[in-house]
Amino acid sequence: PGSPDAQARYTINGVIDKGVRQPGKEFEALVASMAGVIVWQHGTYFGYAGAPGVSADSLSQSDLRGGFKVRSHPSKRSLFNAVRGTFIDANDEWRVKDAPPYTSSTFETEDNSERLYRDIELRFTTDEFEAQRLAKIFLTRERNPLTVEWPGKPSCNRFAVWDLVPVTVQIVAASGSTYVFNAKDFRVIAKTAQPDGGVDLVLQEDSALSYSWSASDADVLASAPNSSLPALDTLPAPTNLTLSSGEDILYVAGDGTVVSRIAAQWDL
């Protein structure tokens, strides 16, 4: 903490109380703190932090068993072009703070110059720069809207969910549109085996630029504290302390038991 560049990209800082929250909610909080996902595959949870990734293999037209579908625009209801969130500030008595929002004039222009916010909660993030970095990743990754439904041959079983897959293909759709992908990066976000042996994939557009970060991307949080209350871990010694006792201070319980007490008074 203290510099937008000289720190670990992702950290998880917090305590999980399984008696208070549901496990699913804790997974969501863990995922948010690393800009990643937790995937359930073959009876095991796999966690992946947000990163450009390295491609182990690629997809081409020879892996198709039919025509694929392309969705190029998100629904208007889910559209946003700015992200704001809360985090736990380690530099201000671990208070919940609003991180400086991450905005984009480019995305706002694409959305008719209207700023549309998405709110996120970062319960395991304790640094303002890390909170902003996560907000940027969340925004830029969601602004890659291209999604492909890929009806694959059995050869597609070699891919797992969250693999980064370069796609090279040229297809003329029924509408007449031509889609040309030349080693374009996609993430596998869903995988379904079919009775005929085929493997259907859902691919989400991805870009290494979504994960880039520099000091110029960061805003510094205002240094003024939210309140003037004293620090919880620093208490001044009492002054003018006086102790007293007597009948007026005795405590009488409901069953008639009398408990002796001492009253203490001091100046703040």
Side-chain angles (χ1 to χ4, degrees):
S3 169
D5 281 335
Q7 59 179 216
R9 178 169 286 270
Y10 304 122
T11 61
I12 298 175
N13 306 292
V15 177
I16 294 176
D17 186 345
K18 65 179 181 180
V20 176
R21 295 180 179 267
Q22 299 176 350
K25 295 296 183 181
E26 299 305 310
F27 275 168
E28 292 176 5
L30 292 172
V31 165
S33 69
M34 63 181 183
V37 297
I38 294 178
V39 178
W40 173 262
Q41 291 188 105
H42 309 299
T44 303
Y45 284 108
F46 294 86
Y48 301 96
V54 177
S55 305
D57 207 337
S58 60
L59 277 173
S60 66
Q61 194 160 339
S62 63
D63 293 299
L64 281 169
R65 73 176 197 280
F68 64 82
K69 297 180 181 179
V70 177
R71 298 195 301 271
S72 57
H73 298 287
S75 65
K76 187 174 182 179
R77 179 179 298 180
S78 63
L79 191 66
F80 61 95
N81 52 43
V83 175
R84 57 191 175 190
T86 58
F87 72 107
I88 309 300
D89 192 351
N91 296 316
D92 190 12
E93 305 298 333
W94 308 98
R95 293 183 174 97
V96 177
K97 289 283 196 68
D98 291 321
Y102 188 85
T103 62
S104 167
S105 58
T106 300
F107 295 155
E108 286 183 32
T109 300
E110 292 175 359
D111 299 333
N112 299 318
S113 300
E114 179 183 5
R115 181 167 294 180
L116 305 171
Y117 276 110
R118 173 66 58 86
D119 294 318
I120 59 175
E121 181 184 14
L122 302 171
R123 290 198 296 109
F124 292 135
T125 299
T126 58
D127 178 79
E128 61 182 288
F129 298 129
E130 188 173 347
Q132 292 174 72
R133 185 163 57 248
L134 290 165
K136 180 196 175 184
I137 293 172
F138 187 74
L139 174 60
T140 55
R141 197 163 57 189
E142 291 297 318
R143 295 296 295 204
N144 292 327
L146 202 63
T147 303
V148 175
E149 296 179 11
W150 183 279
K153 294 179 179 179
S155 59
C156 291
N157 198 44
R158 66 188 186 275
F159 298 109
V161 174
W162 210 243
D163 277 352
L164 185 69
V165 181
V167 177
T168 299
V169 69
Q170 178 174 335
I171 294 291
V172 179
S175 62
S177 300
T178 300
Y179 294 95
V180 179
F181 301 144
N182 184 17
K184 181 173 178 57
D185 285 339
F186 287 85
R187 290 277 184 185
V188 179
I189 61 173
K191 174 183 175 181
T192 306
Q194 299 300 322
D196 61 359
V199 177
D200 290 349
L201 304 176
V202 178
L203 309 173
Q204 175 72 50
E205 180 182 18
D206 200 11
S207 171
L209 295 176
S210 297
Y211 309 97
S212 63
W213 175 261
S214 68
S216 62
D217 292 321
D219 289 328
V220 178
L221 194 65
S223 59
N226 286 342
S227 74
S228 58
L229 294 175
L232 297 178
D233 57 354
T234 305
L235 297 177
T239 59
N240 299 324
L241 175 66
T242 60
L243 303 176
S244 58
S245 64
E247 294 184 358
D248 293 340
I249 301 175
L250 294 175
Y251 172 73
V252 181
D255 61 357
T257 303
V258 178
V259 180
S260 298
R261 297 189 298 180
I262 295 177
Q265 292 181 309
W266 63 91
D267 293 337
L268 296 176

